[in-house]
Amino acid sequence: MTDATPDPTPDPEPKREPEPNRDREPRSAPTPEDRDAIMSTVFGHMEAQILGATVRLGIADSLGDRERDAADVAADLGTDPDATRRLLRALAGSGLAVEVRPGVFALTPRGALLRTDRPDSVAAFVAMFMDRTTVGAWSHLDDSVRTGRAAFDELYGTDFFDHLATHPALSRAFNAAMRQGTGASAHVLTTALDLAGATSVTDVGGGDGTLLAALLTGHPYLRGVLFETSQGAAEAGPLLTAAGVAGRCEVVTGDFFISVPSGSDVYLLKGVVKDWDDDRATTALATIRSAMPPDGRLLIIEVVMPETVDGSVPSVMYTGDLHLLTHVTGRERTEPEYRSLCARAGFSVPRVTHLPPPSPLSVIEAVPV
């Protein structure tokens, strides 16, 4: 459960300025624009369903880089010709396609991101977050707000990660979505992370190794350990081999609440801590603390939320926080909250570095005390 926000070239000490927010100051009465904004939000979930259907059906792949008649797309995909044309019109209406002449469509650059054959594709990300299982828990947001518990558990009779373990197709979709999200930030993290003096790095909960492969490629002197569950690391071998770093990287499977491989100079946790409540997050941090050498470092890569909503992080981060509420036991946290977690687990936090916009990510450096 990560972000897919692209990151620019990093600044060693970037400053994050709040974005303008004209609605921060209360007004005496709503305007017609206020009403329109609410109506647009209501229809927004329908537009998201359009994206989900487009990816599941393979519409963007069928269009490719050509102009195609809707009937030909329907013949390719085995869909109803009239309904396919109507879906393509909706894509054109939202700027993802253009209708070049009646019934003939082509993707725009934005719509091309829904193709699965592009290195910058977001198709897997869309497929995961628009999966019917994922969307189903969102429809019970009010229940989660009433109880403070994940609606997913109540709806499906198990927690999110155990559900993935027993549903291989959804697990593959989740892994692919995380790969696309991490891939968007891996290049900037390669230069932003302070790995000075390190010879080994362990990526805890590192998925299929996308981030670790980028780090090992950018730092040829490093050796790496990818630590993940068996289903999370299922596709790590081919990815690490394709990146040319398999000879310098060991894949170890296990449970980071119980133990992690010992001895690395640097440990990474990207998009992991936010998935768990305070007690479980502290347990995971303490497990890493017990495995690392006295002079080791832990780099926690997460969104650090402001203590007051001030526009300094994208509004989607607050939506993401509610996604964590409905689907897992976690939450987005402020800097004091991360410092408190680290202290409970035996760490101090000498610095927190915000990556420059548009990335919402920060690097929390923790060292043993």
Side-chain angles (χ1 to χ4, degrees):
M1 296 197 164
T2 182
D3 70 285
T5 308
D7 296 305
T9 302
D11 181 338
E13 292 294 336
K15 294 183 179 179
R16 186 171 302 186
E17 298 295 333
E19 298 172 358
N21 187 346
R22 296 183 179 87
D23 291 331
R24 202 176 301 149
E25 297 298 325
R27 291 170 293 163
S28 58
T31 66
E33 289 77 14
D34 294 326
R35 182 182 183 279
D36 290 344
I38 291 175
M39 296 300 103
S40 294
T41 300
V42 171
F43 278 93
H45 86 92
M46 302 177 194
E47 293 177 356
Q49 292 289 352
I50 291 171
L51 289 181
T54 297
V55 169
R56 288 192 295 270
L57 291 169
I59 295 286
D61 287 340
S62 179
L63 284 173
D65 56 5
R66 300 169 290 172
E67 298 177 0
R68 299 206 70 196
D69 191 285
D72 294 333
V73 174
D76 274 355
L77 304 177
T79 55
D80 178 82
D82 180 62
T84 301
R85 179 170 183 256
R86 292 164 68 180
L87 177 58
L88 287 165
R89 287 195 309 179
L91 291 175
S94 61
L96 296 164
V98 291
E99 189 169 14
V100 293
R101 53 186 179 275
V104 177
F105 298 85
L107 293 172
T108 63
R110 184 187 304 171
L113 294 172
L114 300 176
R115 292 172 56 177
T116 61
D117 59 351
R118 294 177 59 97
D120 56 356
S121 172
V122 297
F125 197 85
V126 171
M128 176 62 208
F129 284 92
M130 291 311 301
D131 182 87
R132 292 178 176 87
T133 304
T134 307
V135 174
W138 260 106
S139 66
H140 292 266
L141 172 61
D142 50 341
D143 294 329
S144 285
V145 172
R146 288 190 190 98
T147 66
R149 298 191 300 270
F152 190 99
D153 299 16
E154 300 294 325
L155 194 59
Y156 298 106
T158 185
D159 69 55
F160 178 78
F161 293 107
D162 283 345
H163 185 85
L164 288 183
T166 57
H167 291 76
L170 187 61
S171 180
R172 288 192 296 272
F174 177 80
N175 291 344
M178 296 305 99
R179 177 170 61 250
Q180 289 182 351
T182 298
S185 55
H187 70 284
V188 69
L189 288 170
T190 298
T191 53
L193 294 181
D194 179 10
L195 300 176
T199 60
S200 58
V201 58
T202 294
D203 191 356
V204 179
D208 62 7
T210 295
L211 175 57
L212 189 55
L215 292 177
L216 295 180
T217 299
H219 302 277
Y221 56 87
L222 279 177
R223 296 192 65 83
V225 177
L226 175 67
F227 186 72
E228 248 295 1
T229 62
S230 56
Q231 67 265 23
E235 299 169 59
L239 186 146
L240 295 168
T241 298
V245 298
R248 291 188 285 126
C249 185
E250 180 183 6
V251 178
V252 180
T253 59
D255 182 345
F256 55 62
F257 292 115
I258 298 174
S259 67
V260 300
S262 62
S264 282
D265 303 315
V266 174
Y267 286 77
L268 303 177
L269 278 174
K270 181 184 183 296
V272 172
V273 178
K274 69 179 181 181
D275 285 343
W276 305 99
D277 61 34
D278 286 356
D279 288 342
R280 297 284 275 169
T282 301
T283 298
L285 292 173
T287 301
I288 295 172
R289 169 67 180 84
S290 66
M292 64 195 306
D295 58 348
R297 290 181 294 140
L298 170 63
L299 303 179
I300 302 169
I301 304 161
E302 295 280 9
V303 175
V304 174
M305 303 294 277
E307 295 184 64
T308 302
V309 178
D310 60 7
S312 61
V313 299
S315 60
V316 71
M317 294 298 105
Y318 296 97
T319 305
D321 183 47
L322 293 177
H323 183 82
L324 296 172
L325 171 64
T326 55
H327 286 73
V328 291
T329 63
R331 62 191 306 126
E332 300 287 4
R333 294 179 172 91
T334 63
E335 181 174 327
E337 288 170 332
Y338 275 113
R339 288 182 178 275
S340 176
L341 282 182
C342 288
R344 287 175 58 184
F347 289 101
S348 65
V349 177
R351 66 184 58 86
V352 176
T353 303
H354 302 296
L355 299 187
S359 174
L361 295 174
S362 296
V363 181
I364 304 151
E365 182 175 344
V367 296
V369 293

